[in-house]
Amino acid sequence: MGVLNSANTYFDRAAQIMGLDDRVKALLTKPEREVKVSLSIERDNGHLATFTGYRVQHNSARGPMKGGLRYHPHVDMDEAAGLAALMTWKTAIVNLPFGGAKGGIACDPRELSRPELERLTRKFVEKIHDIIGPQRDIPAPDVNTNAEVMAWIMSEYSKIHGFSPGVVTGKPVELHGSAGRDEATGLGVTLVLEQCLADAGRSLGDCSVAIQGFGNVGSHAARCIHERGGKVVAVSDSRGGRVDPGGIDVPALLQHVRSQQRIGTFEGGAPCSNEQLLTTPCDVLIPAALEDVFDVPLAREVQAGIIVEAANGPTPPEADDVFREHGITVIPDILANAGGVAVSYLEWVQNLQHVTWTLEEVRENLSRTMTSAYQEVAHLGRDRKLDLRTAAFVLAIGRVGRAAVLQGV
Amino acid sequence: MAQASDITEIPPTPLFGGLQQDDWSELVARAVRMELGANEPVFLQGQEADAFFAVLRGSVQVRTATPGGESALAQLSAGAVLGETSLLLGGTHSASVYTVEPSTLLRFRNDGLKEAIESGNRGAIRILYNIAHTLAVRLRAADAHIAELAKGAPVGSVVGSDLERLRNIFFTQWV
């Protein structure tokens, strides 16, 4: 179904419950601005090549707009617009003073050299510098972009507007980036899970956890859960995984993956497929890899009592219905993986104030943000008899709606 | 046969906002569950308005008699409430309501609810408050509409109504 279709369904569900009609929905869903630019650069071989860049600014009612910049052949205006709207809801759920944006360049970065990527990035900034900025729109890394790309953007933007580290987040720590950004999403996932367990009178110490995906998010989540007393019983990457009901030695696994780049060759536990991981007996299941990992038959086999959506869009609406029927608590992606943008916000604040916070300060701040966001969503859910996903959307739509109305729309 | 008391989940509609679970259980015990097929009447224009209805599943159409037959005024889906002003005013229904598809509704008799209000039933009083609130919001919107009309603005260009409704949704119902 895809992340965007699923998110639209969930948005519509919340909008219907709130009694929003099509006119109000248009106010909340139409992007404020869509920009498309042509980017011509000279390739290393002397040929000219022209690419298309996009930036969609969805809603600025709550503050400057925030969202990633991706380099991928499938980038287009529709995708950017849908993802920009999701950023508006995500920043509102965790109560950051941001709106949502998204963009990118339609290109295959594997076919471009590093100098070509740098020229393309700088050309993009040249074309959109007047619509981005620390008080307007703050891009961040996304698919196929990284801290180095952010450094190029900051450099190019600063040539025009003066020193402006706050124009992007996700920069290298050596260049005004923030401590704690790498682990932010994985730690955020752990923090909301802890809150969810605490509400049920439980703690990580009495939980078994299975994690699908061992990239940046999955591996940091595994580490954080292990450090806080949780038992990680299964992990996988795209090529398969390991399952051990007695608990996987997470530090050893992290070391193994650092050297071998794969989980399958790890010696602890027994091998398992990705599908087996999703249905393995455990208290908590964390899909941290792909969208649409659950279809209805698979959803019926899930044995976990809690699902924490670390990945974007792992649960299509029909699987979500199954989880609700089975009484499985789903902490939705739009809340669970908001730790990344929350630390982006902290990076932006440090840049604006010209200060540098320690890792402990960033973690403490992130903990406050995620804990409070979970509690607000859960409280609304209990109060209005809504599942966490619907409650999260209702909370976000309400916050954006109030900000818009207070400004006279 | 399905009973109204089988409906344990409080419908997510403003009329039932703020109700607690035990309030709901008491109220729903006084209600009648209606399972209707497509295009069946819920009530007819001119009939005595002695009850109000909550649509739990499916959708209904509000129709009014015109010289040329019946014309549809609105289509409402799950979450909608019909005839709630009759609790205060009684009288007769000003329009007919038919199901569009197989639908489930709850029917609350006005005299039963009035009795509950008089005996201090917390859930019934909450519903009364919610109805009063909705009517107050509608009155305020109507006042704004009238004020715009009085200024000579063309009908259809009224700015107050949508914004008033938004304020009500975002600052009252869903704070």
Side-chain angles (χ1 to χ4, degrees):
Chain A
M1 185 172 198
V3 175
L4 290 180
N5 285 334
S6 297
N8 287 339
T9 303
Y10 297 135
F11 174 88
D12 284 343
R13 201 177 274 179
Q16 191 194 0
I17 285 171
M18 297 178 82
L20 306 182
D21 63 20
D22 288 346
R23 290 198 297 277
V24 179
K25 278 163 66 176
L27 167 76
L28 294 172
T29 54
K30 296 274 185 197
E32 286 182 16
R33 176 187 273 159
E34 296 178 334
V35 173
K36 180 178 174 183
V37 291
S38 285
L39 308 167
S40 296
I41 61 162
E42 187 179 3
R43 300 288 301 263
D44 294 342
N45 62 8
H47 293 174
L48 286 176
T50 300
F51 301 88
T52 305
Y54 302 88
R55 189 69 181 169
V56 176
Q57 297 174 333
H58 174 252
N59 187 297
S60 63
R62 288 173 43 83
M65 289 162 283
K66 188 90 192 77
L69 209 56
R70 55 178 58 180
Y71 290 178
H72 193 276
H74 293 157
V75 169
D76 63 22
M77 198 67 92
D78 285 346
E79 181 195 65
L83 294 170
L86 269 183
M87 287 304 297
T88 298
W89 313 131
K90 186 178 286 191
T91 52
I93 287 167
V94 284
N95 212 4
L96 305 176
F98 284 143
K102 205 77 168 190
I105 300 174
C107 67
D108 186 348
R110 291 171 306 183
E111 293 178 355
L112 296 169
S113 69
R114 190 172 160 283
E116 286 171 340
L117 275 175
E118 180 174 349
R119 285 200 291 279
L120 183 59
T121 301
R122 289 183 184 277
K123 179 65 77 174
F124 190 39
V125 177
E126 188 187 313
K127 298 285 187 183
I128 66 164
H129 72 86
D130 54 343
I131 63 157
I132 63 172
Q135 307 297 345
R136 289 171 182 266
D137 176 359
I138 305 130
D142 202 289
V143 177
N144 294 328
T145 56
N146 55 20
E148 189 177 29
V149 173
M150 296 305 113
W152 295 332
I153 295 174
M154 174 194 140
S155 159
E156 192 65 25
Y157 183 88
S158 294
K159 281 182 195 168
I160 306 164
H161 295 275
F163 177 65
S164 309
V167 67
V168 280
T169 58
K171 300 179 291 293
V173 174
E174 300 79 3
L175 199 66
H176 310 283
S178 178
R181 195 175 193 288
D182 280 351
E183 68 174 21
T185 307
L187 176 56
V189 164
T190 311
L191 291 165
V192 292
L193 171 58
E194 278 189 318
Q195 286 303 305
C196 180
L197 290 168
D199 277 359
R202 302 177 63 187
S203 71
L204 272 176
D206 58 38
C207 274
S208 56
V209 182
I211 304 173
Q212 187 203 37
F214 212 69
N216 174 278
V217 179
S219 62
H220 279 295
R223 178 182 58 77
C224 294
I225 287 166
H226 171 77
E227 285 172 359
R228 289 160 184 253
K231 184 165 71 173
V232 177
V233 293
V235 291
S236 69
D237 60 22
S238 59
R239 290 178 284 192
R242 309 294 292 186
V243 58
D244 183 349
I248 288 171
D249 182 346
V250 173
L253 175 65
L254 287 165
Q255 199 169 0
H256 174 85
V257 170
R258 265 194 295 274
S259 61
Q260 303 291 314
Q261 306 297 316
R262 58 187 298 185
I263 286 175
T265 51
F266 184 63
E267 288 184 353
C272 70
S273 68
N274 263 297
E275 193 169 310
Q276 285 167 331
L277 181 137
L278 295 171
T279 56
T280 202
C282 59
D283 298 308
V284 178
L285 175 60
I286 303 182
L290 304 168
E291 61 186 59
D292 287 341
V293 291
F294 299 108
D295 55 21
V296 168
L298 186 62
R300 291 200 179 109
E301 300 300 318
V302 167
Q303 299 192 51
I306 299 173
I307 294 173
V308 191
E309 294 183 338
N312 279 322
T315 311
E318 54 274 18
D320 200 48
D321 292 341
V322 173
F323 293 148
R324 203 165 37 249
E325 283 163 21
H326 289 195
I328 296 173
T329 299
V330 179
I331 306 180
D333 51 0
I334 200 163
L335 165 64
N337 67 25
V341 72
V343 170
S344 269
Y345 164 68
L346 300 179
E347 179 178 335
W348 177 73
V349 170
Q350 290 171 77
N351 294 158
L352 294 186
Q353 297 181 352
H354 304 286
V355 295
T356 303
W357 294 340
T358 63
L359 179 59
E360 287 65 35
E361 286 172 309
V362 171
R363 282 177 173 169
E364 199 181 310
N365 215 315
L366 175 65
S367 176
R368 274 200 301 275
T369 301
M370 298 304 292
T371 299
S372 151
Y374 179 85
Q375 289 303 343
E376 284 169 316
V377 170
H379 179 265
L380 181 65
R382 280 192 298 271
D383 194 37
R384 302 299 184 116
K385 311 275 187 283
L386 302 172
D387 59 275
L388 290 176
R389 192 191 308 280
T390 308
F393 271 97
V394 166
L395 180 72
I397 293 169
R399 282 182 172 154
V400 174
R402 282 189 287 280
V405 169
L406 284 169
Q407 294 173 74
V409 180
Chain B
M1 186 180 160
Q3 303 293 312
S5 54
D6 294 341
I7 299 160
T8 53
E9 200 168 316
I10 303 175
T13 173
L15 183 71
F16 302 127
L19 281 185
Q20 294 176 16
Q21 194 61 48
D22 47 349
D23 300 334
W24 173 251
S25 304
E26 276 187 48
L27 283 170
V28 83
R30 297 169 183 265
V32 174
R33 178 174 178 154
M34 300 168 68
E35 296 287 349
L36 300 177
N39 207 28
E40 288 194 47
V42 178
F43 54 76
L44 299 174
Q45 188 170 352
Q47 276 183 345
E48 188 190 352
D50 58 356
F52 65 93
F53 303 79
V55 183
L56 302 184
R57 181 183 65 91
S59 56
V60 298
Q61 193 173 60
V62 183
R63 303 178 194 167
T64 188
T66 63
E70 275 195 327
S71 85
L73 295 177
Q75 189 156 315
L76 304 167
S77 53
V81 175
L82 309 160
E84 70 273 30
T85 52
S86 69
L87 181 65
L88 301 174
L89 299 177
T92 56
H93 288 297
S94 56
S96 300
V97 173
Y98 289 84
T99 54
V100 176
E101 57 187 309
S103 302
T104 306
L105 293 91
L106 276 181
R107 180 174 189 270
F108 293 87
R109 283 190 61 82
N110 290 340
D111 51 7
L113 204 69
K114 280 178 185 165
E115 209 177 277
I117 292 166
E118 278 160 17
S119 64
N121 179 286
R122 191 176 53 184
I125 292 171
R126 182 75 208 182
I127 286 188
L128 181 66
Y129 171 84
N130 289 342
I131 291 175
H133 181 266
T134 303
L135 295 177
V137 169
R138 283 185 202 160
L139 179 62
R140 189 184 286 173
D143 286 346
H145 194 153
I146 291 164
E148 284 300 323
L149 291 173
K151 280 193 263 176
V155 175
S157 69
V158 175
V159 292
S161 53
D162 268 358
L163 276 176
E164 281 301 320
R165 210 161 45 78
L166 277 182
R167 286 193 186 98
N168 177 42
I169 289 171
F170 290 136
F171 289 94
T172 307
Q173 296 177 14
W174 292 97
V175 176

